[in-house]
Amino acid sequence: MLDDNRLRIFSTLAEEGNFTRAARRLRISQPAVSQSISELEKQLGVKLFERTRTAATLTPEGETFRSYASEILKWYDAAGTMFSLDGKATMHRPISVRCPAFAAESVIPELLSDSLSITADTFTVRIVPDESASTAEGDIVLYASARKDTLDIDEASTLAGTFSAAAGSRDADADPSFAPLAIWRPYEKLLGADYLARVTFSGDSPAAAVRAAARVPGLVCLVPHFCLAGSGLQLIPHPMPRLQQDLHIRFGDRMDHGGLAAVLKRKLLSIIT
């Protein structure tokens, strides 16, 4: 039988693409990650990763196995949620969610939908300013931070994934290097002067920027890519690496252990990747 711990190590390494980062995120040693992957490959009889000094890249067999591992872990987590104390997490008081406006608008509805033991009457969402979201207190806390080359242990333990800006426009030929811009306000401090000079709309709501770009020909919006879902806007293939952000999820003491936290963290990853 496939061990769920090995599957989690495999999935983390597949996401990080690097043994050191995977070990840091899992809070185990790098040799432990390497040994677990080797044992999993031996058990399956296939090579899952191509290894170099700096990277671990999935083989074709690894890519195929990743989809199976994801489903297996989903049901492991679901079973843990349903048949553990986490399944009773909402019995005494609602789950408190603290997050900035963009997460309440574009992440929370999907994150909490179809999650076992969480229904509309068992959670409360409070919007907090972007700059104070990282220090907010709650059962579930979401916050974004600018992407850094290195993460300390506390950041690595809460890191859910990285998202980047997507330039959306109704005009397939629009170029964010020259077009007028509608942007999500937190990106302002990450943009250079040439981009800021072309900002015609800036707001805390990514959805408002998306609506503006959908109505004004040639206007480009710079918002987290998952905020464009269902908008009908074109993704423009111009990378904006300076706008990369890490989206973190942190759990309070009531939610920090067991299946439900694992389910939500894995679901969050699927939303933003």
Side-chain angles (χ1 to χ4, degrees):
M1 182 176 179
L2 291 171
D3 180 86
D4 69 321
N5 187 52
R6 286 183 188 168
L7 292 181
R8 295 185 196 283
I9 292 173
F10 164 81
S11 295
T12 302
L13 181 58
E15 291 162 5
E16 294 291 344
N18 177 278
F19 279 91
T20 300
R21 290 198 300 271
R24 184 186 305 159
R25 182 170 149 190
L26 291 162
R27 292 187 167 186
I28 61 177
S29 68
Q30 184 174 331
V33 174
S34 181
Q35 180 180 352
S36 179
I37 296 301
S38 295
E39 290 172 351
L40 184 59
E41 289 178 327
K42 183 177 180 180
Q43 180 181 5
L44 296 173
V46 296
K47 188 176 184 180
L48 299 172
F49 291 93
E50 295 290 350
R51 299 162 172 82
T52 67
R53 287 175 60 89
T54 59
T57 306
L58 286 169
T59 63
E61 292 82 6
E63 289 283 4
T64 300
F65 181 69
R66 186 180 188 179
S67 62
Y68 285 96
S70 177
E71 287 297 307
I72 292 169
L73 286 172
K74 181 181 76 174
W75 289 111
Y76 269 134
D77 292 339
T81 300
M82 182 63 76
F83 299 106
S84 72
L85 290 177
D86 284 324
K88 302 180 177 65
T90 64
M91 288 181 63
H92 302 297
R93 60 181 172 86
I95 293 172
S96 62
V97 182
R98 303 293 181 261
C99 62
F102 88 94
E105 181 179 80
S106 303
V107 178
I108 292 298
E110 186 172 353
L111 178 66
L112 298 184
S113 68
D114 302 323
S115 294
L116 293 173
S117 81
I118 297 183
T119 59
D121 60 347
T122 59
F123 67 89
T124 62
V125 179
R126 177 175 296 172
I127 295 174
V128 294
D130 292 272
E131 59 272 14
S132 62
S134 63
T135 58
E137 295 297 327
D139 295 319
I140 302 172
V141 179
L142 290 179
Y143 63 97
S145 64
R147 181 68 172 169
K148 298 195 295 188
D149 292 333
T150 59
L151 297 171
D152 62 32
I153 291 177
D154 288 339
E155 288 174 317
S157 68
T158 63
L159 181 65
T162 300
F163 64 86
S164 60
S169 174
R170 195 170 60 180
D171 182 354
D173 296 323
D175 183 342
S177 300
F178 304 102
L181 301 173
I183 71 169
W184 177 45
R185 196 186 308 281
Y187 283 154
E188 283 186 336
K189 59 182 177 289
L190 305 176
L191 288 171
D194 55 335
Y195 282 94
L196 286 174
R198 291 183 284 105
V199 172
T200 61
F201 174 91
S202 175
D204 293 325
S205 168
V210 169
R211 287 194 296 270
R215 293 171 182 169
V216 180
L219 184 65
V220 166
C221 66
L222 297 182
V223 298
H225 64 81
F226 49 84
C227 297
L228 292 169
S231 69
L233 297 179
Q234 301 287 330
L235 285 177
I236 301 175
H238 292 273
M240 299 288 286
R242 70 175 68 85
L243 300 185
Q244 281 194 326
Q245 301 262 306
D246 288 322
L247 184 61
H248 302 257
I249 187 167
R250 188 179 74 242
F251 299 98
D253 292 341
R254 189 163 69 118
M255 300 284 293
D256 196 30
H257 305 286
L260 188 55
V263 168
L264 294 176
K265 190 165 187 176
R266 188 165 297 278
K267 192 168 184 180
L268 180 61
L269 274 170
S270 71
I271 292 170
I272 66 174
T273 56

